[in-house]
Amino acid sequence: MPVEYLLVPIAFLTSTLTGVIGMGGGVLLLACMPGLLPVAAIFPLHAATQLASNATRALFGWREIQWSIVAPVALGAALGAVLGGSVYGSLNLHWLPAIVGVLILLITWVPLPSLPGAGRWSLVLLGLYQTGLGMLAGATGPLGAAVLARRNPRRDWVVVNTGVYMVISHVFRLFAFTAIGFSFAGWWPLLLALITAVSVGSWVGTRLRHSVPQMDFRRWFRLLVSLLALRMIALPLLGD
């Protein structure tokens, strides 16, 4: 079995995690990809996989969707895709895992910035940040979850609507990666397996969410993500 198919069970577990607590799975999946995929394929395949994970999670909880967030997030996401895509196209991909590892450590440990207000402009800024930085860091969901929690702290609402704005972000990122020149054609068997895994994971996570107490997973999650991020930083150095 090709080594990249080790990502299939990982994708299932990370999608289940996100289905339960609303965030974290995308970061974990991204941190496992270097060394199993060519560097140029990591972000596009991650975006496609996470699109399926977030879409199915939103679908399974569709009663909680707040449709009014879609338009402002999409406006910001369109701008973010243009800006982030132009920067991504100029990066030296050899050092991309190390760059992403550093960004993941910052996102994990540095206090999240507070977007101003709770109105529509905060959602535009969220879409801009989420998609623009997402083109360079891959997984930036925790800030969005924090922004949405200010609007409605209920876990079901936050989990589902985080999925909604992430779907918007990933759609624009996929357009940007395609415009830059990435072709998904040669990756469809792996991508199909990953999409199936995250879709099942979303279903399992949705079912588990109501039986798992709202515990503080943050400490253990941070430690695990930090170890994986340090691995990402080391990969380009070990490859020299």
Side-chain angles (χ1 to χ4, degrees), residues 102-237:
V102 171
L103 289 172
I104 286 177
L105 287 176
L106 291 174
I107 291 169
T108 302
W109 291 102
V110 175
L112 294 173
S114 178
L115 292 180
R120 295 174 68 85
W121 281 109
S122 67
L123 295 173
V124 174
L125 291 174
L126 174 61
L128 174 64
Y129 158 89
Q130 187 70 46
T131 308
L133 186 56
M135 292 291 298
L136 309 176
T140 52
L143 175 61
V147 171
L148 291 185
R150 298 212 312 256
R151 294 170 173 268
N152 189 329
R154 286 194 307 107
R155 181 169 60 172
D156 282 353
W157 189 92
V158 172
V159 169
V160 170
N161 286 284
T162 296
V164 171
Y165 84 75
M166 290 295 289
V167 165
I168 298 167
S169 176
H170 288 307
V171 165
F172 279 99
R173 287 173 59 202
L174 288 176
F175 277 121
F177 286 127
T178 303
I180 292 169
F182 183 82
S183 174
F184 290 90
W187 293 99
W188 71 264
L190 174 63
L191 195 53
L192 180 61
L194 290 172
I195 288 173
T196 301
V198 297
S199 299
V200 175
S202 290
W203 184 85
V204 172
T206 300
R207 297 302 180 276
L208 291 176
R209 190 186 311 145
H210 300 289
S211 59
V212 175
Q214 292 193 220
M215 299 168 56
D216 184 6
F217 296 97
R218 190 174 301 274
R219 180 195 308 176
W220 297 108
F221 172 75
R222 283 180 168 182
L223 290 174
L224 176 58
V225 168
S226 297
L227 289 174
L228 292 170
L230 291 173
R231 168 182 171 269
M232 296 175 74
I233 293 170
L235 281 175
L237 300 174

Side-chain angles (χ1 to χ4, degrees), residues 29-109:
L29 178 60
L30 178 68
C32 293
M33 284 180 157
L36 299 177
L37 290 174
V39 174
I42 291 174
F43 279 9
L45 295 185
H46 180 266
T49 302
Q50 289 304 108
L51 172 60
S53 178
N54 286 283
T56 49
R57 188 167 73 254
L59 177 64
F60 293 140
W62 64 270
R63 291 181 179 84
E64 297 284 351
I65 294 177
Q66 184 171 331
W67 294 102
S68 62
I69 73 173
V70 171
V73 170
L75 174 59
L79 298 173
V82 173
L83 296 174
S86 62
V87 175
Y88 179 85
S90 64
L91 289 177
N92 182 340
L93 293 184
H94 173 76
W95 293 103
L96 187 60
I99 295 170
V100 175
V102 171
L103 289 172
I104 286 177
L105 287 176
L106 291 174
I107 291 169
T108 302
W109 291 102

